[in-house]
Amino acid sequence: MNDNPILIAGGGIGGAAAALALAQQGRAVRLLEQSRDFGEIGAGIQLGPNVYKMFQKLGLTEVIDAAAVRPDALVMRDALDGEIVTRVPLNDDAFRAQFPFPYAVTYRPDLHNALIDACQDNPLVELATAAKVTGFDASNEKVVATLEDGGGIDGSALIGADGLWSKVRETLIGDGPPRVSGHIAYRAVLPAAEMPEHLRWNEVVLWAGPHTHLVQYPLRRGEIFNLVAVFHSDRYEEGWDVFGDSDELFKRFAGEHPHVLELLGKIESWRMWVLCDREPIKDWSQGRVTLLGDAAHPMLQYLAQGACMAIEDAVCLTHQVTAHGEDIAAAFQAYQANRYLRTGRVQLTARFYGDVYHAEGVTRELRNMTRSPRTPEQAYQGMAWLYNGVDDDGAQVL
C-alpha cells in the first residue's frame, strides 16, 4: 500500500472539494495552493440543483444555505427595450416537483471558505500554501509534484485542479494555451443600500443586449448585489482579475435600456477578466495523474456551471477512487470516462448560450419570439439534463 498522500494542485473550489471528498472516504490528502493564503475572488456564483446534490453528499448543505440566497426566478430581459423575454420560476412547488434540490446564489468566498473550513476540520487533509506546482514526474509507484521553488513533494497520485492555466495539464497533455473567446467580463459587488430600490429584485436577471449582457442578483442574504457586465472585444490580452476601463464599458453598452445604464453607473471600480475555454477532450488522465474542473474542461460562464462541474468532478472522482481501492490509474480512467461527455456538453452549450444572449438584429427578434412563449414546465424539461445531476459515479440522471 502506498502511504503517500494524494496530492491536489490548486486550492480553489474544485481542489478543496476534492480534498474534502477524498478525506471523508479515508484518504490522506495534501492540498497545494500557490498563493500565501487560501482565498477566492470576491464575486457571485450560481448554484444549480445538481451541485446541491453534491453538497448533500459532502455534508455542506446547512453551511452553504446560511450565507446563500434562493432567488425567485431566472429572468432574461431584452437590454434594448427592457421587456421580459422569459421568466423561469425557481424554488416554488412546481420547481420542487421537477428538481429535489434548490437553486441558489452565493458569494464565491463564502462557498470557498465553507470548503476550506471543512478541510481544516478533517485530520486527513494537510493544507499547504506558497506551493505552486509547475509539473510532475510520475512512475508506477508514486508521483512527485515539482514546485516553483525547485522542491518536490511525493504523493500516491496527483490531481491537477490548478485552473484554466493549469501547469499539470501543460505537463500531462501539452495542448497549448486556452481558447480566447473575445468576450470580456467586468464584475463588481454593490451594497444593497446603493442598489436602486426599483431594481432590488430577488431574481437572477440577465439583460441581453447586442454583443453584451449584464447580470444582477443578490448575495449574502440580500446584503449586497452582484453585477457582471460582458461584452465582445479583442482589445485585451489574456488576463485575469485586473481593473477594467469604465469608458470602454459604457461605450459597449451605449444605447441600452436606462435601467442597464443606471446599474453600470453605480460602480466606480470594476475588475476585468478575459473569458476563455477549450475544446472538449475525453482523455485527461495518465497513470496516477488526472485533472479536475477548469484544468480538465474549462468553460464559458453562460451556463453558470464552472464551479458546479468541478464539485461534481470531486465527488465522482472520489467514488471511483473508493471503488477501485489501490488501483488509482483505473480509478482515474473510470472517472474521466464517466465525466467527459457531460462536461463536454456543458462546454459546448455554454458557447451556444453566449450567442443567444448576445443576439442582435433579426436574430434578437427571433430569440425573443421563440423564448417568450415557453411555459415554466417546458423550461424545466430543457434544464433536466443538467439540473437532475449525476449519480455517485458520474452517470447522468435522466
Side-chain angles (χ1 to χ4, degrees), residues 6-52:
I6 295 175
L7 305 178
I8 301 176
I13 288 171
L20 178 61
L22 287 163
Q24 288 177 341
Q25 295 302 312
R27 296 281 179 158
V29 181
R30 195 168 184 185
L31 185 60
L32 308 174
E33 167 57 34
Q34 66 176 340
S35 302
R36 294 191 177 276
D37 299 290
F38 285 92
E40 259 292 346
I41 292 167
I45 188 170
Q46 298 183 50
L47 305 172
N50 56 307
V51 79
Y52 259 90

Side-chain angles (χ1 to χ4, degrees), residues 256-332:
E256 297 197 3
H257 192 272
H259 287 348
V260 173
L261 302 181
E262 183 179 12
L263 289 172
L264 297 179
K266 287 291 182 179
I267 304 299
E268 296 179 357
S269 178
W270 295 86
R271 306 294 286 184
M272 181 273 288
W273 77 100
V274 178
L275 302 181
C276 303
D277 67 356
R278 289 183 183 272
E279 297 301 321
I281 60 172
K282 65 186 298 181
D283 295 311
W284 63 64
S285 302
Q286 291 181 19
R288 293 177 174 271
V289 182
T290 193
L291 303 176
L292 180 148
D294 281 351
H297 43 71
M299 55 192 63
L300 301 180
Q301 90 285 17
Y302 299 118
L303 275 186
Q305 280 286 316
C308 298
M309 287 296 110
I311 295 172
E312 280 191 6
D313 284 351
V315 173
C316 297
L317 182 151
T318 297
H319 173 82
Q320 296 298 343
V321 169
T322 302
H324 287 82
E326 294 309 306
D327 194 346
I328 290 291
F332 286 175

Side-chain angles (χ1 to χ4, degrees), residues 49-51 53-54 312 342 384-391 394-398:
N50 56 307
V51 79
K53 186 175 185 178
M54 303 296 99
E312 280 191 6
R342 177 168 170 83
W385 71 271
L386 180 60
Y387 290 158
N388 278 334
V390 294
D391 290 332
Q396 186 166 300
V397 178
L398 300 176

Side-chain angles (χ1 to χ4, degrees), residues 328-344:
I328 290 291
F332 286 175
Q333 288 296 320
Y335 150 68
Q336 72 174 21
N338 282 332
R339 292 297 291 160
Y340 80 90
L341 287 175
R342 177 168 170 83
T343 57

Side-chain angles (χ1 to χ4, degrees), residues 123-324:
L124 291 177
V125 180
E126 178 185 352
L127 302 178
T129 56
K132 182 176 182 178
V133 176
T134 58
F136 62 85
D137 292 308
S139 68
N140 291 331
E141 292 78 29
K142 69 176 183 179
V143 177
V144 180
T146 54
L147 303 183
E148 189 175 45
D149 64 9
I153 300 177
D154 291 353
S156 61
L158 173 64
I159 300 168
D162 47 344
L164 180 66
W165 302 94
S166 170
K167 292 296 185 181
V168 178
R169 182 182 180 121
E170 185 178 305
T171 304
L172 186 71
I173 300 174
D175 56 350
R179 166 187 171 270
V180 179
S181 68
H183 301 182
I184 310 297
Y186 282 33
R187 65 177 183 276
V189 291
L190 186 67
E194 297 179 21
M195 185 75 172
E197 188 172 355
H198 58 282
L199 299 176
R200 292 180 199 169
W201 302 315
N202 186 41
E203 298 173 334
V204 177
V205 181
L206 185 144
W207 301 84
H211 301 294
T212 66
H213 79 263
L214 174 67
V215 175
Q216 65 173 84
Y217 53 82
L219 296 172
R220 282 191 168 168
R221 302 163 297 276
E223 297 167 7
I224 57 178
F225 274 78
N226 188 60
L227 298 177
V228 181
V230 177
F231 57 90
H232 293 200
S233 176
D234 57 5
R235 277 191 54 190
Y236 299 100
E237 298 178 357
E238 299 163 9
W240 176 263
D241 197 35
V242 296
F243 284 102
D245 179 354
S246 294
D247 291 340
E248 172 78 356
L249 187 66
F250 279 96
K251 178 181 177 182
R252 299 291 177 171
F253 282 82
E256 297 197 3
H257 192 272
H259 287 348
V260 173
L261 302 181
E262 183 179 12
L263 289 172
L264 297 179
K266 287 291 182 179
I267 304 299
E268 296 179 357
S269 178
W270 295 86
R271 306 294 286 184
M272 181 273 288
W273 77 100
V274 178
L275 302 181
C276 303
D277 67 356
R278 289 183 183 272
E279 297 301 321
I281 60 172
K282 65 186 298 181
D283 295 311
W284 63 64
S285 302
Q286 291 181 19
R288 293 177 174 271
V289 182
T290 193
L291 303 176
L292 180 148
D294 281 351
H297 43 71
M299 55 192 63
L300 301 180
Q301 90 285 17
Y302 299 118
L303 275 186
Q305 280 286 316
C308 298
M309 287 296 110
I311 295 172
E312 280 191 6
D313 284 351
V315 173
C316 297
L317 182 151
T318 297
H319 173 82
Q320 296 298 343
V321 169
T322 302
H324 287 82

